[in-house]
């Protein structure tokens, strides 16, 4: 794991966007694994700026998002499909047919999970997977549990996650209880992984993920077993790593 320390959210966003931009320049038809949440918004904004400056071309880029709420349609403004459209896809020249997100409206869980796994394998796997991290160490929607799940699956969200994500909804009751997510196996199959973290609320998750035991109780800890992981995190997110003299 390579930990890149930055000062704050704006610097994290610039550095992360530079790494993704390098991937796009090196491989114009790369498969990007994309993430949602508040953390990547600045990264996407920096990518849009680079696109507007004529530095990036997304026309051959393909993408696969980590997750989607079960029960939300792509035009629901709380869905991750809507998030991706408004925060990135609508502002760059990526082709809509090159973008992939689990279908939150598919009620047939087995069918949707199989479909999404086959989408990822038809793409030839992910070149660079962008990840945020939940306060409890989740990646995508792989919640703390007894075992690492390999493929796409449907998860029951923990109360922690529902509470953390309630800020995007009018009331906590509107937060969906289930989501489709790539499994840790899908994530670990990416050729390179870029995890971004900002703020004090992520300090414990970052510390445990990078320096604690590898355990499904902290899903992001499995990243320690991947040979090509970059973590771009700011001072607040790295505060526990620092006080424990790990960095
Ligand atoms: C959600 C997403 C994750 C994301 C996490 C953290 O649960 N499924 O992919 O990493 O939220 O979100 P934020 O960046 O808003 O803290």
């Amino acid at each position: 794991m390579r930990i890149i320390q930055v000062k704050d959210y704006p610097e994290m966003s610039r550095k992360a966007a530079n790494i993704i931009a390098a991937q796009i320049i090196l491989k114009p038809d790369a498969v990007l694994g994309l993430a949602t949440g508040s953390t990547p918004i600045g990264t996407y904004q920096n990518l849009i700026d680079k696109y507007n400056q004529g530095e990036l071309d997304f026309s051959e880029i393909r993408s696969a998002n980590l997750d989607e709420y079960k029960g939300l349609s792509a035009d629901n403004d709380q869905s991750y499909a809507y998030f991706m459209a408004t925060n990135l896809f609508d502002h760059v020249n990526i082709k809509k047919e090159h973008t992939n997100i689990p279908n939150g409206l598919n009620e047939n869980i087995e069918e949707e999970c199989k479909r999404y796994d086959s989408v990822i394998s038809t793409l030839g796997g992910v070149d660079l997977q962008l990840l945020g991290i939940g306060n409890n160490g989740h990646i995508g929607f792989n919640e703390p549990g007894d075992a690492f799940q390999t493929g796409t699956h449907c998860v029951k969200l923990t109360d922690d996650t529902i509470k953390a994500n309630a800020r995007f909804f009018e009331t906590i009751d509107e937060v969906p209880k289930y989501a489709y997510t790539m499994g840790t196996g899908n994530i670990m199959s990416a050729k390179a992984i870029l995890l971004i973290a900002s703020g004090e609320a992520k300090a414990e998750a970052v510390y445990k993920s990078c320096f604690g035991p590898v355990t499904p109780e902290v899903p992001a800890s499995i990243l320690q077993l991947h040979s090509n992981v970059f973590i771009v995190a700011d001072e607040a997110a790295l505060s526990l790593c620092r006080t424990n003299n790990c960095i």
Side-chain angles (χ1 to χ4, degrees):
M1 272 181 169
R2 169 118 182 268
I3 299 180
I4 300 166
Q5 303 180 48
V6 297
K7 190 169 173 308
D8 52 16
Y9 183 83
E11 194 185 348
M12 178 205 76
S13 303
R14 285 197 302 276
K15 285 251 158 55
N18 283 341
I19 293 170
I20 297 170
Q23 172 71 75
I24 295 171
I25 292 164
L26 289 170
K27 189 176 177 192
D29 62 348
V31 177
L32 300 179
L34 297 175
T36 52
S38 47
T39 312
I41 292 176
T43 304
Y44 294 147
Q45 190 52 57
N46 276 268
L47 287 172
I48 294 166
D49 292 346
K50 287 177 193 298
Y51 168 75
N52 286 333
Q53 288 153 11
E55 286 178 37
L56 290 178
D57 176 14
F58 289 79
S59 60
E60 297 308 321
I61 290 294
R62 291 151 311 141
S63 71
N65 260 79
L66 282 168
D67 47 13
E68 178 60 284
Y69 287 116
K70 184 163 179 287
L72 298 194
S73 65
D75 58 4
N76 182 311
D77 61 6
Q78 300 301 343
S79 72
Y80 285 166
Y82 190 92
F83 173 100
M84 288 311 301
T86 51
N87 285 291
L88 182 64
F89 297 156
D90 286 353
H91 308 285
V92 297
N93 66 335
I94 195 164
K95 295 182 176 124
K96 286 286 142 65
E97 63 272 24
H98 285 179
T99 67
N100 299 280
I101 300 184
N103 176 6
L105 286 187
N106 194 345
E107 281 296 323
N108 185 331
I109 293 175
E110 204 187 320
E111 180 187 275
E112 182 55 20
C113 295
K114 263 199 201 140
R115 184 194 71 83
Y116 205 62
D117 280 344
S118 90
V119 163
I120 298 166
S121 66
T122 306
L123 288 169
V126 169
D127 290 298
L128 177 62
Q129 177 67 57
L130 176 65
L131 293 178
I133 186 168
N135 296 348
N136 61 5
H138 76 233
I139 43 178
F141 268 132
N142 290 273
E143 295 281 32
D146 300 335
F148 291 112
Q149 298 250 12
T150 51
T152 303
H153 56 289
C154 182
V155 285
K156 185 169 186 345
L157 302 178
T158 63
D159 290 344
D160 262 7
T161 298
I162 290 173
K163 240 184 260 159
N165 290 354
R167 67 189 193 279
F168 300 112
F169 293 80
E170 299 239 316
T171 68
I172 195 162
D173 296 334
E174 285 176 32
V175 185
K177 309 285 179 288
Y178 292 87
Y180 286 114
T181 182
M182 283 189 195
T184 42
N186 301 114
I187 294 170
M188 289 293 282
S189 301
K191 296 185 186 83
I193 295 176
L194 168 60
L195 184 142
I196 53 177
S198 170
E200 192 72 41
K202 302 294 168 70
E204 191 180 347
V206 170
Y207 171 62
K208 286 185 174 167
S209 301
C210 297
F211 299 105
V214 175
T215 163
E217 281 305 321
V218 183
S221 65
I222 200 166
L223 301 177
Q224 292 178 40
L225 305 180
H226 193 286
S227 58
N228 204 13
V229 175
F230 303 93
I231 296 181
V232 180
D234 67 11
E235 283 171 7
L238 289 170
S239 55
L240 261 189
C241 297
R242 197 169 313 103
T243 51
N244 284 291
N245 294 318
C246 298
I247 50 171

